[in-house]
Amino acid sequence: MELKRKPADDTRIKVGKKSGSVMTLPLIIWLVCFVLVPLLLIGWYGITVENPDGSMSVSFENFKRFADPIYLNPLLRSAKIATITTVVCIALGYPVAYILARSTAKWTNIVMMLILMPMWINFMLRIYSWASLLEGNGIINSLLVSLGFEKQQFMYTEGVVVLGTIYNFLPFMIMPIQNVLLKLDNSLLEAAADLGASPVRRFFKITLPYSVPGIISGVAMVFVPSVTTFVISQRLGGNKVPLIGNIIESQFGMAGDWNFGSTVSLIVMAIVLAFMFAINKTDRAEVNGRGLTL
Amino acid sequence: MKTTWKSLLKVGWSFILIAAMLFALTGCSLPDEKVVRIYNWGDYIDETVINQFEEETGYTVIDSLFETNEQMYTDIVNGGGKYDVLFPSDYMIERMISEDLLAEINFENVPNYSYIDDEYKNLSYDPENKYSIPYMWGTMGILYNTTMVSEPPTSWTALFDEQYDSSIFMLNSARDSIGITLMMLGYDLNSVDEAELEEAKQALIEQSDLVLGYMVDDYKGKMIAGEAALALAWQGDAVFCISENEDLAYVIPKEGSNIFVDALCIPKNCPNKEGAEAFINFLCRPDIAAKNAYYIGYSSPSTEAREVMETLDEESAGSGSDPIAYPDITQYELYFFSSLGDKNKIYDRIWNEVLNSQQS
């Protein structure tokens, strides 16, 4: 017996060249106005400096200015915090995603709701709620004191910033992994079991490789926003752990130096692009290496 | 051919729709002489005052908001928006005058200028008082929790005192935090002297071990909740915090402090100068100035307005007789910030070094 797979192309909607270009026109206008033009502006500001008389001249001076510990340290700190956040999110998110995808129990829907529901609440509100939980006279400290423990200083530390990023971005790790695992064909696992593979072996030989694309899009969705965040370090970190996002924000706001702010933005953009490129590569290598086509 | 015409029509219609929406948003459908566009700090005017102005004069007011002087400045320089009335602070007015961005006000159209007290006229940022009319003023000082300090602070050194380890909030604002440190060390708060700034930087780096956090607006809620003993604070914020928590108090340190004035100005490229002057005149009217000062909590530069405020509510914090909102400014050494020009970068650098000095 031979099973023939339908070529994927059959399901595509056929779109004529002319009507297709008209239909994409609004999107193109949108992209030009709100993506391309701002990007070009950042590029232009980034490679110029303002002269005392207000004119602009092309110069890479601001790139040299960036090579200074007071800007490099926040960049390294951002990278460190984003890496820790991503690793912890995989460790916490993978089991949850696995159970949600593989279990047929009814309560999984409730768990999914509990994960998604906080995201309907404004981001700033959630940050402020953490502050009121963790502050010196906050809910957790009041509880500790009433139980006879000493007050703890949770706020304004690197730890609380990491907590904030993990809390905010964890759902973005769970969802893509769960999505991929939902599509995992049970017959693969059954066949492996029939052939005598232990549960552990089945997990490492089938489930884990199958979920790599989900993990990778999860990594992209957690790492990128945590490496660029500035609100969390501002509101929970009290600006005592400045991140690269804070440097950019202060250049556009307080310092009023749009040129240097744009230069830093360009550098961060380059790093994020390189990172995305690297994980896209591993994405393909991982999947192809294991002979799975998804 | 037919389908191409149809789709072209569709595209045409969508353009018209978008254009119509943009017009509605920017208010371009109204003639310029009927509209007054104001560019103000957030929460810095009593909204009912705007309605009252519209009813009395027939103008329509469109208000836009900014967060920092620098943000407003960049917007004006880059021609991002058309405005008739601006609310910049002293040092920014000085900078904008020097760059020829402000129009001279025709004081014949602003008779209510006479209600502004003489102390607030001809100030250093606008020595001949041609371009600006004071709106609100305030000082900087220490907001402290009387139940958490060993003795009421009288000097900026309290903010650098080790006994208040992890119980101090500083402003995340280079100009303000460096300025008060310079004053504590006995220097000019506008200093650009390298050695003096270096000394201030070292003091701030040492202080950073004691500082709980650096913030701008958040410290208010946290001081009310008793999170820290001391905070570097603006007078208007202090008035608000004290009205929420009676344990709090405010002091202008003996070394002296910064005094600031936010004033009403007209940009050179304004579309409706007459409307702008009518609006400024309206804001100077004592009953209106009183309403605004009462609502905002900052201090009015008009004695008549203060008298009206006392009839509104004598007991309330920030009222015309509140000693915190209206200190006797002749008793303190108070200085304005002056525009630093390209020396701003030095301050920015120092501030980044201070914030980065915590290696965790």
Side-chain angles (χ1 to χ4, degrees):
Chain A
M1 201 174 72
E2 205 180 6
L3 272 175
K4 254 194 185 168
R5 267 185 98 190
K6 257 192 194 171
D9 278 4
D10 277 7
T11 52
R12 274 208 215 152
I13 303 163
K14 288 256 158 40
V15 180
K17 250 193 183 167
K18 264 186 195 161
S19 61
S21 59
V22 172
M23 277 160 75
T24 51
L25 198 62
L27 177 71
I28 289 170
I29 294 172
W30 178 272
L31 287 178
V32 168
C33 290
F34 300 112
V35 178
L36 191 66
V37 171
L39 267 179
L40 288 175
L41 274 176
I42 290 177
W44 171 247
Y45 271 108
I47 58 161
T48 51
V49 287
E50 201 182 333
N51 299 320
D53 62 357
S55 64
M56 305 267 256
S57 54
V58 175
S59 153
F60 293 95
E61 201 181 287
N62 278 333
F63 286 89
K64 266 189 232 155
R65 183 176 159 195
F66 186 77
D68 182 321
I70 64 169
Y71 306 123
L72 290 174
N73 283 343
L75 182 65
L76 291 177
R77 202 177 290 129
S78 283
K80 181 176 135 198
I81 285 176
T83 309
I84 297 174
T85 304
T86 312
V87 170
V88 174
C89 279
I90 295 175
L92 289 177
Y94 195 92
V96 177
Y98 181 83
I99 294 165
L100 285 178
R102 305 304 298 163
S103 165
T104 48
K106 272 210 173 128
W107 52 263
T108 55
N109 283 331
I110 299 168
V111 173
M112 200 62 209
M113 279 289 282
L114 289 177
I115 293 169
L116 289 177
M117 232 159 44
M119 297 177 73
W120 304 345
I121 299 164
N122 182 287
F123 169 73
M124 288 306 287
L125 268 180
R126 284 181 281 143
I127 296 278
Y128 279 113
S129 334
W130 271 111
S132 58
L133 273 176
L134 298 173
E135 271 172 358
N137 298 328
I139 296 165
I140 291 178
N141 265 324
S142 313
L143 236 130
L144 284 178
V145 170
S146 68
L147 292 173
F149 294 101
E150 250 185 56
K151 251 191 204 181
Q152 296 293 314
Q153 182 60 49
F154 300 113
M155 290 289 284
Y156 322 114
T157 57
E158 200 169 286
V160 78
V161 177
V162 174
L163 176 76
T165 49
I166 292 172
Y167 167 77
N168 270 297
F169 304 128
L170 183 61
F172 297 107
M173 184 62 83
I174 296 176
M175 283 187 294
I177 298 177
Q178 187 221 9
N179 244 323
V180 168
L181 286 179
L182 274 175
K183 292 180 207 133
L184 173 57
D185 194 342
N186 252 333
S187 54
L188 282 173
L189 294 171
E190 281 161 14
D194 287 347
L195 294 169
S198 68
V200 176
R201 201 180 158 119
R202 269 178 294 175
F203 176 78
F204 282 106
K205 281 284 171 190
I206 299 169
T207 315
L208 189 61
Y210 196 89
S211 51
V212 164
I215 297 174
I216 282 168
S217 40
V219 168
M221 284 167 78
V222 170
F223 186 86
V224 175
S226 11
V227 89
T228 52
T229 184
F230 67 92
V231 178
I232 296 170
S233 52
Q234 213 170 52
R235 307 290 154 164
L236 295 180
N239 285 303
K240 285 199 88 185
V241 272
L243 302 181
I244 197 66
N246 299 95
I247 299 284
I248 297 175
E249 196 252 359
S250 76
Q251 290 306 315
F252 278 94
M254 210 165 60
D257 190 344
W258 287 21
N259 297 89
F260 186 56
S262 300
T263 309
V264 182
S265 303
L266 283 178
I267 292 167
V268 173
M269 240 188 282
I271 292 168
V272 168
L273 268 177
F275 175 78
M276 297 291 285
F277 183 75
I279 59 167
N280 262 329
K281 277 241 154 171
T282 43
D283 189 356
R284 253 173 247 141
E286 285 283 324
V287 172
N288 292 340
R290 298 188 200 238
L292 276 165
T293 28
L294 301 167
Chain B
M1 266 320 265
K2 237 185 180 175
T3 48
T4 335
W5 271 113
K6 255 191 185 166
S7 40
L8 265 180
L9 257 174
K10 263 187 208 162
V11 174
W13 273 115
S14 39
F15 266 113
I16 291 167
L17 247 165
I18 291 169
M21 276 155 72
L22 285 177
F23 266 101
L25 278 175
T26 53
C28 290
S29 48
L30 284 161
D32 276 344
E33 59 270 18
K34 279 279 122 210
V35 179
V36 179
R37 295 173 181 79
I38 66 173
Y39 199 20
N40 191 5
W41 302 83
D43 220 11
Y44 210 48
I45 192 165
D46 185 341
E47 294 287 327
T48 63
V49 163
I50 293 182
N51 299 338
Q52 199 178 336
F53 174 73
E54 288 178 332
E55 272 166 33
E56 284 185 22
T57 61
Y59 284 111
T60 302
V61 174
I62 297 175
D63 73 355
S64 311
L65 304 176
F66 61 85
E67 271 193 328
T68 63
N69 276 304
E70 287 70 23
Q71 184 196 339
M72 184 252 347
Y73 167 82
T74 350
D75 201 4
I76 299 294
V77 171
N78 294 345
K82 281 195 293 183
Y83 305 103
D84 298 306
V85 181
L86 309 174
F87 293 64
S89 309
D90 37 64
Y91 72 98
M92 187 50 74
I93 296 171
E94 184 183 347
R95 180 171 177 185
M96 292 178 87
I97 293 173
S98 74
E99 294 177 19
D100 200 24
L101 294 168
L102 297 180
E104 284 190 30
I105 296 171
N106 180 358
F107 283 85
E108 279 172 24
N109 293 336
V110 194
N112 290 340
Y113 176 60
S114 60
Y115 292 115
I116 304 289
D117 297 351
D118 285 338
E119 296 105 285
Y120 303 100
K121 289 175 178 169
N122 307 319
L123 293 168
S124 58
Y125 57 85
D126 184 7
E128 290 166 61
N129 218 116
K130 286 194 214 159
Y131 302 93
S132 63
I133 293 177
Y135 177 58
M136 293 287 158
W137 65 274
T139 58
M140 210 161 50
I142 301 174
L143 177 67
Y144 62 98
N145 192 317
T146 48
T147 63
M148 295 168 82
V149 291
S150 52
E151 53 180 338
T154 55
S155 156
W156 290 120
T157 51
L159 290 172
F160 296 77
D161 189 337
E162 280 180 18
Q163 65 166 309
Y164 300 119
D165 185 7
S166 296
S167 204
I168 299 165
F169 283 124
M170 285 294 279
L171 288 169
N172 180 28
S173 163
R175 215 47 221 279
D176 297 300
S177 292
I178 296 172
I180 65 110
T181 312
L182 285 166
M183 294 207 84
M184 177 186 77
L185 297 169
Y187 304 128
D188 179 5
L189 93 160
N190 290 308
S191 172
V192 287
D193 180 275
E194 269 180 42
E196 291 175 11
L197 284 170
E198 181 62 31
E199 209 179 315
K201 183 180 97 183
Q202 289 309 330
L204 283 164
I205 287 176
E206 245 174 72
Q207 183 211 24
S208 73
D209 286 332
L210 313 175
V211 173
L212 197 50
Y214 299 90
M215 35 198 80
V216 175
D217 279 323
D218 286 357
Y219 78 88
K220 287 183 269 180
K222 292 179 196 284
M223 286 304 288
I224 293 167
E227 279 290 298
L230 307 156
L232 174 59
W234 287 294
Q235 177 179 307
D237 290 350
V239 168
F240 167 75
C241 292
I242 293 166
S243 72
E244 296 283 316
N245 181 348
E246 286 182 350
D247 292 337
L248 297 175
Y250 175 81
V251 64
I252 301 172
K254 59 175 191 233
E255 295 96 336
S257 181
N258 165 239
I259 180 171
F260 60 85
V261 172
D262 294 326
L264 303 157
C265 295
I266 305 176
K268 216 154 204 177
N269 61 353
C270 78
N272 183 7
K273 190 155 183 275
E274 254 173 55
E277 281 159 353
F279 187 71
I280 292 174
N281 191 44
F282 187 73
L283 290 188
C284 293
R285 212 170 81 188
D287 60 319
I288 300 300
K291 252 181 153 177
N292 277 329
Y294 185 70
Y295 175 82
I296 307 166
Y298 278 80
S299 314
S300 172
S302 158
T303 308
E304 280 82 356
R306 287 170 61 180
E307 281 164 7
V308 177
M309 277 173 79
E310 284 182 51
T311 64
L312 288 176
D313 182 357
E314 282 179 15
E315 298 297 310
S316 146
S319 79
S321 53
D322 183 342
I324 294 163
Y326 297 97
D328 179 5
I329 54 171
T330 54
Q331 279 187 17
Y332 303 95
E333 301 266 335
L334 297 171
Y335 304 94
F336 285 105
F337 279 132
S338 59
S339 176
L340 291 176
D342 58 345
K343 299 280 196 281
N344 263 322
K345 275 194 180 157
I346 305 175
Y347 273 68
D348 179 53
R349 204 201 136 76
I350 291 175
W351 192 240
N352 272 316
E353 280 186 56
V354 172
L355 291 184
N356 265 293
S357 58
Q358 286 279 307
Q359 289 306 332
S360 45

Coordinates of all heavy atoms in Angstrom, one line a residue, chain B residues 12 19 35 38 55 78 97-99 106 130 146 168 181 191 221 236 298 301 334 341 344:
Chain B
G12 N -8.8 55.0 -4.3 CA -9.1 56.4 -4.2 C -9.9 56.7 -3.0 O -9.6 57.6 -2.2
A19 N -7.6 60.6 4.6 CA -7.3 62.0 4.7 C -8.4 62.7 5.6 O -8.1 63.5 6.4 CB -7.4 62.6 3.3
V35 N -9.0 78.5 16.6 CA -8.4 77.4 17.3 C -7.2 77.9 18.1 O -6.4 78.7 17.6 CB -8.0 76.3 16.4 CG1 -7.4 75.1 17.2 CG2 -9.2 75.7 15.6
I38 N -2.7 74.3 22.6 CA -1.8 74.5 23.7 C -0.9 73.2 23.8 O -1.4 72.1 23.5 CB -2.5 74.8 25.0 CG1 -3.4 73.6 25.5 CG2 -3.3 76.1 24.8 CD1 -4.0 73.9 26.8
E55 N -16.3 78.5 26.3 CA -17.6 79.1 26.4 C -17.5 80.6 26.4 O -18.3 81.3 25.7 CB -18.3 78.7 27.7 CG -19.0 77.4 27.6 CD -19.4 76.9 29.0 OE1 -19.6 77.7 29.9 OE2 -19.4 75.6 29.2
N78 N 12.0 70.6 15.4 CA 11.8 69.8 14.2 C 10.5 70.1 13.5 O 10.2 69.5 12.5 CB 11.8 68.3 14.6 CG 13.2 67.8 15.1 OD1 14.2 68.5 14.9 ND2 13.2 66.7 15.8
I97 N 14.8 81.4 23.8 CA 15.0 82.8 23.4 C 16.3 82.9 22.6 O 16.3 83.6 21.6 CB 15.0 83.7 24.7 CG1 13.6 83.7 25.3 CG2 15.4 85.1 24.3 CD1 13.6 84.5 26.7
S98 N 17.3 82.3 23.1 CA 18.6 82.4 22.5 C 18.6 81.8 21.1 O 19.4 82.2 20.2 CB 19.7 81.8 23.3 OG 19.6 80.4 23.2
E99 N 17.7 80.9 20.8 CA 17.6 80.3 19.5 C 16.5 80.9 18.7 O 16.2 80.3 17.6 CB 17.5 78.7 19.6 CG 18.7 78.1 20.3 CD 18.6 76.6 20.5 OE1 17.7 76.0 19.9 OE2 19.4 76.1 21.3
N106 N 2.6 90.5 22.9 CA 2.0 91.9 22.9 C 1.2 92.1 24.2 O 0.1 91.6 24.4 CB 1.1 92.0 21.7 CG 0.5 93.4 21.7 OD1 0.7 94.2 22.5 ND2 -0.3 93.6 20.6
K130 N 9.9 89.9 27.9 CA 9.2 90.1 26.7 C 8.6 88.8 26.1 O 7.7 88.9 25.3 CB 10.3 90.5 25.6 CG 10.8 91.9 25.8 CD 11.6 92.2 24.5 CE 12.8 93.1 24.7 NZ 13.7 93.0 23.5
T146 N 8.5 61.9 59.1 CA 8.9 62.3 60.4 C 9.0 61.1 61.4 O 9.8 61.2 62.3 CB 7.8 63.3 61.0 OG1 6.5 62.7 60.8 CG2 7.9 64.6 60.3
I168 N 16.4 56.0 50.9 CA 16.5 57.2 50.2 C 16.0 57.1 48.8 O 16.5 56.1 48.1 CB 17.9 57.8 50.2 CG1 18.4 58.0 51.7 CG2 18.0 59.1 49.4 CD1 19.9 58.2 51.8
T181 N 23.6 68.2 44.6 CA 24.9 67.7 45.2 C 25.9 68.8 45.1 O 26.7 69.1 46.0 CB 25.4 66.5 44.4 OG1 24.3 65.5 44.3 CG2 26.6 65.8 45.1
S191 N 27.0 74.7 37.8 CA 28.5 74.6 37.5 C 28.8 73.7 36.3 O 28.1 72.7 36.1 CB 29.2 74.0 38.8 OG 30.5 73.8 38.5
G221 N 4.0 57.8 45.3 CA 3.2 56.8 45.9 C 4.0 56.0 47.0 O 3.5 55.6 48.0
G236 N 5.6 70.9 44.6 CA 4.2 70.5 44.3 C 3.9 69.1 44.6 O 2.8 68.8 45.1
Y298 N 0.7 73.1 42.6 CA 1.9 73.9 42.5 C 1.5 75.4 42.9 O 0.4 75.6 43.1 CB 2.5 73.9 41.1 CG 3.4 72.6 40.9 CD1 2.8 71.4 40.6 CD2 4.8 72.7 41.0 CE1 3.7 70.3 40.5 CE2 5.6 71.6 40.9 CZ 5.0 70.4 40.6 OH 5.8 69.3 40.5
P301 N 2.0 82.5 41.0 CA 2.8 83.7 41.2 C 2.0 84.9 41.4 O 2.4 86.0 41.1 CB 3.6 83.8 39.9 CG 2.8 83.1 38.9 CD 2.0 82.1 39.6
L334 N 17.7 80.7 46.8 CA 17.1 80.0 45.7 C 17.7 80.4 44.3 O 17.8 81.6 44.1 CB 15.6 80.1 45.7 CG 14.9 79.6 47.0 CD1 13.5 80.0 47.1 CD2 15.1 78.1 47.1
G341 N 23.5 74.5 27.4 CA 24.0 74.4 26.0 C 24.6 73.0 25.8 O 24.1 72.0 26.2
N344 N 25.4 70.0 28.4 CA 24.4 69.0 28.8 C 25.0 67.6 28.7 O 24.6 66.7 29.6 CB 23.2 69.0 27.9 CG 22.1 69.8 28.5 OD1 21.8 69.8 29.7 ND2 21.4 70.6 27.6

